[in-house]
Structure formats: C-alpha cells, structure tokens
Amino acid sequence: MSIRQRDVLGQDSDQAPEARQSMYQSYALGLDPYQTREPKPAYQTYVAEEDPYQADECRRGPYQPHEQGYGLYQSGYSPYDDQIPDPKSRTLAIQNAKAYLLKSSTTSGLNLYDHLANMLTKILDEQPTNAVDIIENISKDVKRAQFQKKMDTLRDEHEILPTFEAAEKRKALFLKANGEEDEELEEEIGETPLPNVMETAFYFEQAGIGLSKDESYHIFLALKKLIDVQPIQTCRFWGKILGLEMNYIIAEVQYHEGEEEEETEEEEVIEEVGKGMDEVEDEDEEKEKEDERPKSTYKPPPVIPKEENGTGANKYVYFVCNEPGKPWVKLPPVTPAQIVCARKIKKFFTGRLDAPVVSFPPFPGNEANYLRAQIARISAGTQISPIGFYQFAEEEGDEEEEGGGGRDTYEENPDFQPLSVAEMVDSLSTWVHHVQSILKQGRCVWLNPFQKSEEEEEDEDEEEEKAEEPDELQQETGPPLLTPLSEDEGIQNIPAWTAQPSTNLIPQHAVAVLQSNRWPGAYAFASGKKFDNIYFGWGHKYSPENHTPALPPPVQAEYPSEPEITETRDPTLEEELAFKAAKEAALAAAEEEEDEEDEEEDEEEDD
Amino acid sequence: MDEKEKEIYDVTMDLKPPRRDAQPCPALLEGTSPCPEGPGRAAWSPVLHRGRACVVFVAGSLNCVEWSLLPPATKEMVVQAEQLKGRFQGDPSFEYEYTEINAEDAERLIEDGKEPMIKEEARLVATIEQIDRAVGIIPRGAFVKTPLGSVHENRNFEGLSLTDAKKLSSYFHFTEPVNLKSKTLLEKADLDPSTDFLDSLEHDIPQGSWTVQLEKGGTVVVLRSLLWLGLTFYHVPMTKQYGYIYFGSGEKNLDLPFMM
C-alpha cells in the first residue's frame, strides 16, 4: 500500500480531509483498491484508530518527530500538493462517485444507485424492526421484485368513444349498396328523384339559412338511401324540426302510383276493431241493468273522415329520422281531427315518435301524429313558388262541377319565364301557394259529414230523433290553389311574409328570399328557374298573444226536464189553509148530498 | 375631468379585445345569419366586448358595416320594454305608443313631462339585457373568483369532460347568483368557492327549460333555451371553446309551461 493511502485513513485532522480527497482522486485515476482488496482494511484501520501509535505496517496517523515520515508530508509540502483538491473539485468528486454508483451492471442491468434507493424506500415505507439484521434479505427481495409484473385486479375497460360510435352509425351512409352497377347509375342519372340538396343548401346559404355543410351532405346521402329502399317518384328535403331530446329531419315524398295501399288497409282494420269494441261494451251494459236506465241522448259530433292518400292534406308522404344515418320512419296520414286539435295546442316535440302528447283538448294520437299534423299545417301555409311555375292542367272540367272545391292538381309550366329578383322581392303577388290550404274542418276539400251518416243511421234504432242534429253545416271554402301571397292576411300590423334579396351589393347574382312571419322558420328562395322551400324551426305558429288553452266544455244536462220531476215552490200557509177549507167544503157538500139521498131513499122505503 | 367623463374614461380603459379563441360555432346551426340587410327581420346583431366581468357594451348594426354604440340599459327601460309585445320593426328610431299598453302609466308620464313613447332602440337594449341576464351561460370552471372577490377568466380552463358536459349542473348563469345563498349547508360543503359562485342551470324554473344535445358525432354539446327561443350555447368538450349566441325575434316564450 502506498504511503498515500496510509495517510488517508488516519485521524490526523490536518491531513484527513486532504487524504480523503486524495482517496477519491486515486479512484478518479482509475485505481480501485476495493477490487483487489476487500473492505476489510477500512475496518481494520478503524479499529486500529484506537491505538494509532501501534507499530503496524498499515499504520497511519500522525508521525512523531522521531519517525521516518515526519515532516515529509506537511500541508503545503507534499509532493502532491498541486493535486490536492480545492472545493470545486469536491463537487466533481461527488459527481464522479454518483456516476460510479449509477453504472449499470453488465450481468443484471441494475445499478447500485437505484437499488440502494429502492431498498431504502422500501425500508422507510415498511419500517421493519431490526432492519440492519435483515438488510441482506431486503436487498434480495427488492431484486426479486424486479421480475414481478404489477397487475391490478381491476382492469380499465376499453373505452369506446362516443365519437367512434357515431361514426359507425354514419358509416353506413357512405357505403355503396350491394348490387349497384354502373349501368344502372347511368340510366338513372337523368331521372333520379333524389333532390340536389347541396344546391338548395347553397342558395339558402346566400341568405344565411341552413345547416352546416357536413350535415347537409349527410342528409343528402340519407335521402339517397331512402330512395334506394322505397319506390319513390319525387322526393324533397322538407326541413328540420327541433325537439327537446332529439331533432327531426323530414323528407317529403311521393310514391309511384299504386305503391302504397297496404298502409290504408291496416288503418281501416284498426278503426273497425275500435268500433267493435265499443259496441260490445254497450251490449254488456244493457244486459247488466234491470231497470231501463234513461238512455243518453248525447251524440258525439260525427267523425270527419280523413282524406285519401294522395289528395288534400295527405298528398305527400313524409319520412322522418332523428339523425342522418338512422333509419327512416314513415309518418301516418293525418286525420282532420288531428289537425283541428293541433290548432288548439302548442307543445314541444321531444324527439321520440312514440311519446304521448299530453294536452287539453286531448290530442288523438302520439307525437308521430302531432308531428304529421304540424307538418301538414306548415306545408299548407308556407309552401310557395314563383307565379307561373305551376299552372293548372287544361283538361280540368268546369269549377262548378266540383262543388266549389277548386282544382287540386297542377303541373309544371314548360313555358315558365322567370321574373327578375327585384320583381320577386318587391311585390308579393309574384309568389303563389301551390299547396291547398286546410279548411277549418281539417280537410282541404270540404265534406258534409251528415250525408254519409244517413246511411249509418238506417242500421241504428229508429227511435233516435234526427231532429237533434245541429243545423246544416255551411260549406267551408278556402282560398283556391295558386293564390298569390298578396292575399295572405298579416298578423296585426305585421305582413305575413318578409321578402328581401340575399345581397344588395351584387344584384346580378342575388337570390330572392322570403321569410314567413306566421310560421317562423319557413323560408323560400327563388333564383331564375330554381326555387325551393324549407323549414328550420320548432314547429309552432307565431302568435303575438299568449297561448290560451281551451276551456273545458260546459257541463251537460243530466236529464230532460219534465213536469214530474220539476221542482215547484212549496205552498205557503195561507194557500194550505185555503186548500184545506176548500176540501172541507167539498166534503161537506158531498155529505149533504148523501144525506139527502138517504133521506130520499128512506122516504121511498117508507111508502 | 368632470365625473361623467371620468366614468367613461375608467370604463374604456377596461376594454379588452375579444378573445383570440372566440371562433364561430363549429356546428353552426340553422338560423338566420347575423347580418340581414333590410327591415322587417330582427335586424340587430349584438357584439359584446367584455371589460371586467359584467361591464358590457353593445354595438348594433343594420348591415354589419356601420356599427353604433347603443346606450346601456337602465332598469326603467327594462320594465317598460317588458310590457311591449310583438315583433321588432327593424328601425331603431321607431317609437312605440305607450298609451296602447298602459294608459295609466302613460298619463303619469305625461304629467312628469316625458313623452309616452318607447323607442325601439331602448327596447332592443332592454331585450339584450334581459336575455343576457336570464339565459347567458358559461361552463363551470371558465371563470374563477379570487379570495378578494374579483372574478376573472380562468386561464387554465381546459374544458369540461364529456360526461360533465351532458349535465346541466356544469353550466352556470353568468349573472349575480340568486339561489346560492338559499342552499343548505350540506350542499354548500360540496361546492368549491373559487368556481362554484354562480347559479347552476339545474334549478332553473320551469324545470326542463334547457335542451342538451350532442352534435357532430358527439364532439360538440349544444344547449338551447326554451324560454328565449333562439338562444344557443355551444361547447366543445376538452377544449376551451364555448360561447352563446342569439338568433331570433327577441320575444320571450311565455307559453313555455304549456308547451312542455
């Protein structure tokens, strides 16, 4: 061992720090005494410190003046003075030590620093008793723990983002249907009923109306799917109605002729079953009672039959979906009762077609029927076209023959000359309604309900009086088809329609846009030969006054008034006395007559 | 400087430009554009500059090119405007005849020396104030209150999580709280005073006057008010984007209880 190292482990205060530093220095120089030696020497010298003056080969410590090494290694005179470290190199030495500790083992890949840190952490966390005695075991455990995988008994569920789910639903829109060949496409391109939703969206966008491009495109694809599935002749994107939970996207469709008779049969069956149930119930009641209960003379107002599919309010068939990508649901045809009731109530749509409509007067149907009724009302009130686009077919007979119902069919005018945008905007008489308006009765064509009921009455009892029918209904008329908008009534001082061009700055490419004030959310545009209508809104009519719900009807009379059960005033005391006196007088008179008769008889017997 | 000038000076010093990330709504919905040209529509599009939280300036325009600063709303104006019904005319100087509405008040006003008229401008400003106060909402955590009591934007707001975004309790009215003090102590214990210092939408009367929907495949949550039809609030969860906008006729939906 060199003298240097002997110095190192002594207790000489002067030399000790220098010696320690020189120890590190020697390590820095690559010497590693511990590789060849076990740490024993350190302990040995530690023990040996008790007796630093022992004559020992490994003796270090202060040299006495009589010894050999005295004076040779005084501070400042050591041959290694230039290597004695200043404070800066102390940090360097620390860093070197740390670097050494961080060196990974070639066999196991661990390094001492981390291992010591883990071990001490474990000890401090667990705080075992007599840690120093079991430290080797702890070290072994820590090393073994390296190879165990940390497994929690609970595992995170693979989270499916709702975005992913939504994308899956819409994916179907983007796939081509099986079996579609290019040949079919070429044939159909000229005649497809698919409307050009993007073009319409473009025109409406000029006025700031419409949905986002994404949504328009998805609706476009959804309509295409609808057309592929159903036998449709014409199709149009009618609009979007907002709801509480979900919204409705509505398509207006016309079938090929002869394609949709199945639905009507089903509905008639349902109605007949309903009637049968009522009759059965009545019969049961009659059998139960013994005495004849007074029969109710109440006759409900006659049910006005709905219009045939393809005419009037049921001219178009409507399909609904909540979102493009969801399946299209067909709405049932609308009945006049539903329209009449829908006029009296104002309810938000929830977005579920089977939701009940709780209202007064009770709505005959669920949300699907209410939706259909509102769509019918909105269409009748706000579907407009530029004048001259549609014309009446010339083969129609005289108007008088149809009972004043008016013409209900129209066709496109091949000679249509579009007016300029300025003209379309200035006056409302350049626009016409092309959907029949709905009468108060709930139909487009008036029907007298009592004509039909005469046939039914022949089967019923003859006792029922016909005199109880109300007075003959007056025939209702509405504005005929293709009336210009200038005839529309305004609401108080607001006109029914507001017209403006889409831009004042570029009149060459402006689009005439009309906005309905009676049905907020209904818009129409016209540009050259193109026009369209659309609806975006909540589905309610505008009224400046608050909605007042209908009051319940007055209480009905329970029984007819007859003299037997009519109450009269009780007789007063004088009347009673007078009545009594009169009675006694009558009795007295009667007795006198009897007496007289007896006397006469007696007299006769005497003779 | 006299007092009024000083007030204006102080207030204008607080004006900050609109937030950089205030973008138009990514799922821009159906509705009319903000710049209709010509009369007859609800022809105003307010632009809000937020100074300190709650000082609001409103500028109006008929064609989105020329903007004029509207006067701030006073309580009187709000009270008067509440009695007016019907659509806006589109002309800011249009005057509503007060006599039609309330003859007694009109007489009183005449005695006071004021004219029984309300200008449409005043009605407009009052309506904006009402809408803001009633249905102006923000997501929870967007604004924080310091211990000193001042409220400002939370720079660390990362957006609501998707589950939170579907709940009404994660949105607050951006006005002075009304219901907060009447909460029980148990409820208050769960609140975080730095973020929960406003009324939440949960306890709005009537219940159900907000609809919550997810649009665009679940990436945007849209709240629509049923009390003021046309008020739409959007928020993209997990981002800082949120905002509300009003497109409509400026009339309160008083039929709401019948319609639900």
Side-chain angles (χ1 to χ4, degrees):
Chain A
M1 230 195 276
S2 65
I3 302 171
R4 248 186 293 129
Q5 287 181 330
R6 253 186 265 144
D7 289 342
V8 160
L9 302 165
Q11 266 196 335
D12 194 335
S13 57
D14 284 337
Q15 290 184 348
E18 298 163 5
R20 252 180 263 130
Q21 285 160 6
S22 59
M23 175 173 78
Y24 297 135
Q25 266 191 336
S26 66
Y27 296 160
L29 293 169
L31 295 175
D32 197 352
Y34 288 129
Q35 268 187 350
T36 47
R37 291 178 185 280
E38 294 174 1
K40 269 190 193 173
Y43 295 124
Q44 271 186 351
T45 43
Y46 192 76
V47 168
E49 271 175 14
E50 288 166 13
D51 196 357
Y53 298 104
Q54 270 186 4
D56 199 353
E57 279 190 7
C58 306
R59 191 186 73 122
R60 311 182 192 348
Y63 286 100
Q64 297 300 316
H66 63 271
E67 284 169 341
Q68 248 184 334
Y70 184 72
L72 286 182
Y73 302 106
Q74 303 288 335
S75 60
Y77 298 102
S78 152
Y80 302 101
D81 267 345
D82 51 336
Q83 289 180 20
I84 285 173
D86 43 307
K88 219 183 183 179
S89 60
R90 185 175 187 166
T91 44
L92 179 65
I94 294 175
Q95 284 173 4
N96 291 333
K98 190 167 174 187
Y100 164 71
L101 290 175
L102 281 169
K103 229 199 294 187
S104 311
S105 146
T106 45
T107 46
S108 64
L110 309 167
N111 64 42
L112 189 56
Y113 190 88
D114 285 341
H115 180 67
L116 286 171
N118 289 341
M119 216 165 63
L120 289 173
T121 313
K122 185 172 165 138
I123 291 171
L124 289 171
D125 282 340
E126 293 175 10
Q127 309 238 341
T129 48
N130 300 329
V132 67
D133 296 331
I134 52 171
I135 189 134
E136 289 81 8
N137 292 339
I138 292 172
S139 171
K140 261 195 243 169
D141 285 340
V142 168
K143 280 194 183 164
R144 206 184 302 140
Q146 292 279 330
F147 295 101
Q148 283 171 357
K149 208 174 167 191
K150 271 190 196 158
M151 290 266 285
D152 223 353
T153 45
L154 297 172
R155 278 190 232 181
D156 281 334
E157 214 182 89
H158 175 57
E159 203 183 320
I160 301 179
L161 292 172
T163 326
F164 179 73
E165 288 178 355
E168 282 277 322
K169 276 187 218 157
R170 304 252 175 140
K171 191 169 139 187
L173 289 176
F174 289 87
L175 295 173
K176 260 190 170 179
N178 293 335
E180 239 183 62
E181 298 173 359
D182 290 329
E183 297 176 3
E184 290 181 7
L185 275 180
E186 286 179 10
E187 284 177 14
E188 286 180 7
I189 277 174
E191 302 171 2
T192 177
L194 184 66
N196 195 344
V197 173
M198 299 312 288
E199 193 184 6
T200 314
F202 164 74
Y203 283 111
F204 274 119
E205 203 186 342
Q206 308 292 305
I209 300 156
L211 309 170
S212 63
K213 285 257 166 55
D214 283 355
E215 201 167 348
S216 298
Y217 199 74
H218 286 155
I219 292 173
F220 198 14
L221 291 172
L223 285 176
K224 180 165 183 299
K225 286 276 163 187
L226 178 66
I227 286 171
D228 287 340
V229 171
Q230 303 267 351
I232 287 173
Q233 190 182 13
T234 61
C235 173
R236 198 175 76 83
F237 174 47
W238 186 89
K240 180 170 176 180
I241 287 188
L242 303 172
L244 296 181
E245 294 165 27
M246 291 181 283
N247 306 325
Y248 289 119
I249 294 177
I250 300 156
E252 184 184 77
V253 145
Q254 248 183 334
Y255 277 123
H256 288 301
E257 293 175 3
E259 284 287 344
E260 38 136 353
E261 294 172 359
E262 299 174 2
E263 291 291 335
T264 47
E265 288 178 8
E266 284 178 19
E267 293 209 7
E268 286 175 4
V269 165
I270 293 168
E271 285 178 11
E272 286 174 5
V273 165
K275 279 187 200 163
M277 293 280 290
D278 291 335
E279 289 173 358
V280 166
E281 285 172 7
D282 286 337
E283 290 173 4
D284 284 340
E285 283 180 16
E286 291 182 12
K287 285 177 194 167
E288 281 175 3
K289 60 183 181 207
E290 296 169 347
D291 300 323
E292 277 252 349
R293 272 193 228 148
K295 254 192 165 178
S296 156
T297 51
Y298 168 71
K299 272 182 76 177
V303 174
I304 301 172
K306 70 175 177 125
E307 289 170 298
E308 290 295 311
N309 292 348
T311 64
N314 286 322
K315 182 169 184 187
Y316 296 101
V317 178
Y318 292 92
F319 281 87
V320 178
C321 75
N322 286 122
E323 260 185 11
K326 292 203 178 158
W328 290 93
V329 176
K330 182 171 163 184
L331 288 181
V334 67
T335 65
Q338 286 167 359
I339 290 189
V340 166
C341 192
R343 284 177 170 149
K344 296 182 189 160
I345 65 176
K346 197 173 178 189
K347 284 274 175 186
F348 279 123
F349 294 98
T350 60
R352 290 170 287 122
L353 285 174
D354 51 357
V357 177
V358 179
S359 66
F360 185 79
F363 187 78
N366 56 14
E367 181 154 314
N369 304 101
Y370 183 48
L371 179 64
R372 180 66 179 82
Q374 290 293 92
I375 292 174
R377 290 174 69 200
I378 294 173
S379 296
T382 61
Q383 302 284 322
I384 58 180
S385 57
I387 193 167
F389 193 91
Y390 289 119
Q391 66 180 12
F392 290 119
E394 292 173 0
E395 301 165 3
E396 292 278 347
D398 290 339
E399 285 186 29
E400 298 168 5
E401 288 183 5
E402 300 189 10
R407 296 180 260 206
D408 60 354
T409 55
Y410 50 81
E411 60 176 21
E412 276 188 41
N413 180 359
D415 304 325
F416 172 56
Q417 295 298 329
L419 299 166
S420 73
V421 168
E423 285 174 352
M424 302 292 292
V425 166
D426 279 335
S427 121
L428 286 178
S429 52
T430 47
W431 295 82
V432 297
H433 288 275
H434 62 258
V435 173
Q436 273 182 312
S437 61
I438 301 182
L439 305 168
K440 232 172 146 183
Q441 198 184 39
R443 294 172 50 108
C444 291
V445 173
W446 190 78
L447 180 78
N448 188 349
F450 296 112
Q451 289 172 359
K452 206 174 173 190
S453 64
E454 286 176 5
E455 298 172 0
E456 292 176 349
E457 284 190 8
E458 289 175 3
D459 300 335
E460 295 171 352
D461 286 343
E462 296 175 351
E463 292 176 4
E464 292 187 17
E465 297 173 345
K466 293 185 189 178
E468 298 219 2
E469 283 175 12
D471 297 332
E472 278 190 19
L473 294 174
Q474 293 221 335
Q475 181 175 12
E476 297 169 17
T477 51
L481 200 57
L482 300 188
T483 43
L485 295 197
S486 40
E487 314 270 329
D488 278 1
E489 291 173 7
I491 310 165
Q492 295 182 349
N493 55 347
I494 308 169
W497 292 88
T498 306
Q500 38 188 291
S502 60
T503 166
N504 283 327
L505 302 169
I506 308 176
Q508 304 94 323
H509 294 287
V511 173
V513 177
L514 252 69
Q515 194 192 188
S516 170
N517 291 326
R518 226 191 276 150
W519 290 97
Y523 305 98
F525 85 88
S527 166
K529 285 204 173 180
K530 294 207 209 320
F531 82 96
D532 206 347
N533 301 284
I534 208 151
Y535 182 85
F536 294 123
W538 294 91
H540 299 118
K541 197 170 188 176
Y542 173 73
S543 94
E545 302 302 325
N546 297 335
H547 168 73
T548 41
L551 291 172
V555 178
Q556 291 167 0
E558 292 174 26
Y559 44 81
S561 56
E562 292 166 15
E564 295 168 348
I565 52 179
T566 320
E567 284 186 10
T568 52
R569 285 182 55 223
D570 276 350
T572 62
L573 190 56
E574 291 95 359
E575 287 177 18
E576 272 195 25
L577 288 174
F579 185 71
K580 206 173 170 189
K583 214 174 164 188
E584 284 173 359
L587 264 179
E591 283 177 5
E592 284 179 5
E593 288 180 5
E594 286 181 9
D595 288 342
E596 288 176 359
E597 287 177 1
D598 287 343
E599 286 177 0
E600 289 176 358
E601 288 177 0
D602 287 341
E603 288 176 358
E604 289 177 359
E605 287 176 1
D606 287 342
D607 292 335
Chain B
M1 268 191 286
D2 68 349
E3 207 181 317
K4 185 146 188 213
E5 278 180 2
K6 185 161 186 243
E7 200 186 359
I8 296 172
Y9 177 80
D10 283 345
V11 151
T12 48
M13 285 302 282
D14 293 341
L15 265 185
K16 289 184 209 151
R19 290 171 27 180
R20 254 179 306 119
D21 56 346
Q23 295 159 13
C25 169
L28 189 58
L29 309 158
E30 51 290 346
T32 56
S33 83
C35 293
E37 303 172 50
R41 267 199 241 203
W44 49 272
S45 32
V47 169
L48 302 173
H49 283 280
R50 293 202 175 272
R52 295 269 165 79
C54 295
V55 172
V56 171
F57 289 101
V58 180
S61 159
L62 286 172
N63 56 8
C64 280
V65 176
E66 292 145 9
W67 294 83
S68 47
L69 194 62
L70 297 173
T74 60
K75 282 192 186 160
E76 271 179 15
M77 279 160 59
V78 173
V79 166
Q80 286 176 357
E82 268 177 357
Q83 302 177 354
L84 289 172
K85 283 194 229 179
R87 302 280 296 264
F88 282 79
Q89 297 297 322
D91 176 17
S93 49
F94 180 82
E95 290 180 348
Y96 292 93
E97 287 287 336
Y98 208 6
T99 47
E100 289 173 358
I101 301 152
N102 198 334
E104 291 175 2
D105 281 355
E107 287 175 10
R108 221 183 326 130
L109 280 177
I110 292 174
E111 288 167 18
D112 287 346
K114 299 181 202 166
E115 291 182 359
M117 302 269 215
I118 309 179
K119 280 180 120 185
E120 175 146 304
E121 200 180 50
R123 184 183 175 198
L124 179 63
V125 173
T127 309
I128 297 174
E129 167 77 19
Q130 273 182 306
I131 292 177
D132 266 346
R133 219 192 304 148
V135 288
I137 57 179
I138 51 162
R140 178 173 182 267
F143 282 80
V144 284
K145 188 172 188 176
T146 61
L148 302 171
S150 64
V151 175
H152 33 238
E153 234 183 285
N154 181 5
R155 301 265 169 216
N156 291 330
F157 179 56
E158 293 294 332
L160 301 173
S161 67
L162 199 57
T163 40
D164 277 346
K166 292 190 228 168
K167 297 187 211 162
L168 275 183
S169 55
S170 345
Y171 301 98
F172 294 145
H173 286 281
F174 196 52
T175 52
E176 296 293 332
V178 170
N179 292 335
L180 213 55
K181 289 182 187 166
S182 53
K183 286 197 176 209
T184 65
L185 211 55
L186 273 179
E187 286 171 5
K188 277 197 230 176
D190 289 332
L191 300 180
D192 177 8
S194 63
T195 52
D196 296 318
F197 56 94
L198 299 167
D199 285 331
S200 104
L201 294 190
E202 258 185 322
H203 304 294
D204 262 10
I205 295 165
Q207 204 173 35
S209 61
W210 289 92
T211 67
V212 184
Q213 286 172 359
L214 289 174
E215 298 260 348
K216 252 201 151 188
T219 48
V220 177
V221 65
V222 170
L223 267 76
R224 287 193 187 94
S225 167
L226 300 179
L227 187 59
W228 290 92
L229 284 177
L231 189 287
T232 316
F233 169 88
Y234 74 91
H235 175 50
V236 185
M238 305 310 290
T239 66
K240 282 188 79 156
Q241 297 174 337
Y242 67 88
Y244 70 84
I245 197 162
Y246 181 83
F247 289 126
S249 64
E251 290 163 294
K252 198 169 181 178
N253 180 21
L254 292 167
D255 302 332
L256 180 59
F258 292 118
M259 294 166 80
M260 306 223 321

